[in-house]
Amino acid sequence: MQLALSAEDQKFREEMRTFFTTEVSEDIRRAVIEGRELTKEQIVESQQTLNKAGLAVPHWPTEWGGQDWSDLQRHIWNEEMQRAGVPTPLAFNASMIGPVIAQFGSQEIKERFLPKTANLDIWWSQGFSEPDAGSDLASLRTTAVKDGDDWIVNGQKTWTTLGQHGDWIFTLVRTDPDVKKQAGISMLLIDMTSPGLTVRPIELIDGGHEVNEVWFEDVRVPADNLVGELNSGWTIAKFLLGNERVGVAPVGTTKRILARAKSLAGERASEPLLAARIAELENDLLALELTALRVVAHSSDGEPHPASSVLKLRGTELQQAVSELMVDLAGPASIASGAGADSALEEWTHHTTPTYLNLRKASIYGGSNEIQRQIIARTILGL
Ligand SMILES: Cc1cc2nc3c(=O)[nH]c(=O)nc-3n(C[C@H](O)[C@H](O)[C@H](O)COP(=O)(O)OP(=O)(O)OC[C@H]3O[C@@H](n4cnc5c(N)ncnc54)[C@H](O)[C@@H]3O)c2cc1C
């Protein structure tokens, strides 16, 4: 899309582009662009490079490392970062618990956690979902019972993304079983090295280890680790999930992958059926980008912007459609995901099927797409 940017915003775009393409390690950016998995060290290195330049958490309050930018500048930052293949700052830190602590945390919790969260000195995990509490999150059963100055936590979380790297986990726990289910939930910050906390891997359809179960057996948590008021966890969770939905619609990344697909297709890109398919995806992405510009990226009054659901729904549908295009372009080579470095097949083809399979997750996490349709029906269409 060619936005008619003001001279000032155009200069901002150039600055971002120069920074991302010269200051972030080329090895890391190449791995992202070629669809290879990053190590924990690479993710940390990239975020620390951004943070040093004040570019890791621009949407946070300025006193905690945020930038006084317009929504358009934030959009440009995000788009240029994804375009350059720079890993976006770890969502659990930058988009989820950081804004929550800044909004709801005590001064002591802010000082203790926010600088380390921005710099990825602490790797956060998200402990919301449970085996019987995903879409119906308010039914969660992990309990926290007061014992002197501590909480004693028991229960199980599941689908904990990259929990194997986690230092701390922000967790929704039931602190009052005797009230309406939404009213008895609190948020606790839990050190993942605490005795009684166990992380177990779940193997995914693409063979990767990306998600985990987290078990709590009499885990002792200091009372100070409560975020916000006791039993206000549902309000905090809604604030966090609104931000998460915006974050899981990676418009810039999908545009970059579509442009790569076009270039990998070479002369085939002008065949009528393929040309039409690519053009339709480009148009849909343009429409999505305009929607993204309309959405206030991070809600500030505790309520998610209703359009964040449109962004999540459409963004993940297009992400999946582009991954399907890549499989079709690779053709029979797409099933050779186990091919080694000595294979005669082009390297990019090896990643297409695992990526396609992996991205099935996108319409499930962050609130499934069926749930987003319900939110859209209720809050936007008034049905
Ligand atoms: C790869 C991956 C990573 C994840 N990472 C994390 C994480 O780090 N931390 C975390 O806390 N959670 C995480 N999740 C969990 C995710 O938030 C849940 O999977 C999601 O909320 C759906 O819940 P569920 O899996 O229990 O499915 P269910 O809620 O059981 O839903 C099953 C199906 O029924 C549909 N459905 C459910 N209710 C309704 C309804 N009312 N109307 C219409 N359809 C409905 C759903 O759309 C879905 O298709 C992750 C999930 C995945 C797949």
Side-chain angles (χ1 to χ4, degrees):
M1 176 170 68
Q2 289 305 315
L3 281 171
L5 295 178
S6 67
E8 191 190 344
D9 286 332
Q10 187 58 39
K11 184 164 165 275
F12 180 80
R13 187 190 278 285
E14 293 304 327
E15 279 168 17
M16 291 296 120
R17 190 167 292 183
T18 304
F19 182 88
F20 292 136
T21 53
T22 57
E23 299 297 321
V24 179
S25 148
E26 202 184 332
D27 279 354
I28 295 177
R29 293 191 299 110
R30 197 173 315 118
V32 171
I33 289 168
E34 291 172 5
R36 283 182 274 122
E37 209 171 298
L38 296 180
T39 62
K40 175 179 182 179
E41 290 68 31
Q42 287 176 312
I43 296 171
V44 172
E45 180 193 322
S46 168
Q47 183 154 335
Q48 294 188 341
T49 303
L50 298 187
N51 195 43
K52 211 167 156 191
L55 299 180
V57 291
H59 47 286
W60 288 15
T62 45
E63 59 179 313
W64 297 109
Q67 298 281 357
D68 194 13
W69 288 347
S70 64
D71 288 342
L72 180 58
Q73 285 175 321
R74 275 191 212 160
H75 174 82
I76 293 170
W77 161 78
N78 204 3
E79 196 190 27
E80 288 300 326
M81 186 164 54
Q82 294 183 31
R83 187 175 193 262
V86 173
T88 44
L90 188 69
F92 306 112
N93 287 41
S95 307
M96 298 191 202
I97 194 63
V100 159
I101 290 178
Q103 175 90 0
F104 300 97
S106 63
Q107 185 64 17
E108 189 266 330
I109 283 204
K110 287 178 186 167
E111 287 171 10
R112 189 168 155 212
F113 288 109
L114 285 178
K116 289 182 178 169
T117 298
N119 203 42
L120 202 42
D121 296 327
I122 295 175
W123 183 298
W124 285 96
S125 293
Q126 180 186 21
F128 279 21
S129 304
E130 298 182 6
D132 292 318
S135 303
D136 183 16
L137 185 59
S139 293
L140 62 91
R141 288 189 298 202
T142 296
T143 55
V145 177
K146 206 69 189 290
D147 180 43
D149 279 344
D150 295 337
W151 293 97
I152 306 294
V153 178
N154 278 287
Q156 184 204 343
K157 296 292 173 181
T158 193
W159 302 118
T160 316
T161 299
L162 300 179
Q164 69 270 35
H165 300 326
D167 300 307
W168 282 73
I169 182 164
F170 50 92
T171 313
L172 292 178
V173 289
R174 185 154 303 283
T175 36
D176 187 345
D178 299 322
V179 289
K180 187 178 156 225
K181 57 188 181 180
Q182 286 84 353
I185 295 171
S186 300
M187 179 180 276
L188 279 183
L189 308 179
I190 305 181
D191 182 341
M192 291 183 78
T193 61
S194 305
L197 189 154
T198 314
V199 179
R200 297 185 191 150
I202 301 174
E203 193 176 330
L204 286 182
I205 195 171
D206 66 354
H209 174 196
E210 189 176 310
V211 284
N212 303 269
E213 296 174 344
V214 180
W215 294 78
F216 301 87
E217 283 174 294
D218 291 331
V219 175
R220 193 165 275 280
V221 182
D224 291 351
N225 291 9
L226 182 78
V227 182
E229 300 292 318
L230 183 63
N231 295 321
S232 68
W234 191 246
T235 303
I236 299 178
K238 283 195 295 180
F239 172 87
L240 184 147
L241 291 170
N243 289 342
E244 181 182 1
R245 274 175 220 141
V246 176
V248 293
V251 183
T253 300
T254 310
K255 276 171 69 176
R256 190 193 69 235
I257 297 171
L258 182 59
R260 183 156 184 259
K262 208 168 160 177
S263 124
L264 289 168
E267 286 179 5
R268 282 189 292 160
S270 55
E271 290 170 11
L273 283 178
L274 190 55
R277 186 169 167 191
I278 292 172
E280 193 171 344
L281 284 167
E282 285 175 338
N283 284 340
D284 287 345
L285 275 167
L286 177 57
L288 182 66
E289 188 168 17
L290 291 172
T291 305
L293 279 168
R294 281 203 305 267
V295 171
V296 181
H298 292 266
S299 59
S300 54
D301 59 359
E303 287 295 321
H305 193 294
S308 63
S309 291
V310 177
L311 209 51
K312 196 274 167 177
L313 174 65
R314 227 24 221 138
T316 54
E317 282 177 349
L318 290 174
Q319 204 182 3
Q320 292 178 340
V322 171
S323 76
E324 198 173 328
L325 173 69
M326 290 292 275
V327 171
D328 289 345
L329 285 175
S334 67
I335 53 174
S337 57
D342 57 347
S343 163
L345 299 170
E346 288 178 77
E347 213 249 337
W348 68 271
T349 61
H350 307 180
H351 306 295
T352 54
T353 296
T355 303
Y356 167 84
L357 291 173
N358 183 281
L359 283 176
R360 301 304 94 192
K361 69 188 177 189
S363 43
I364 302 172
Y365 62 26
S368 76
N369 283 10
E370 288 76 18
I371 296 297
Q372 302 311 324
R373 285 191 178 90
Q374 291 190 357
I375 296 173
I376 292 165
R378 206 174 52 243
T379 60
I380 300 181
L381 303 177
L383 298 174

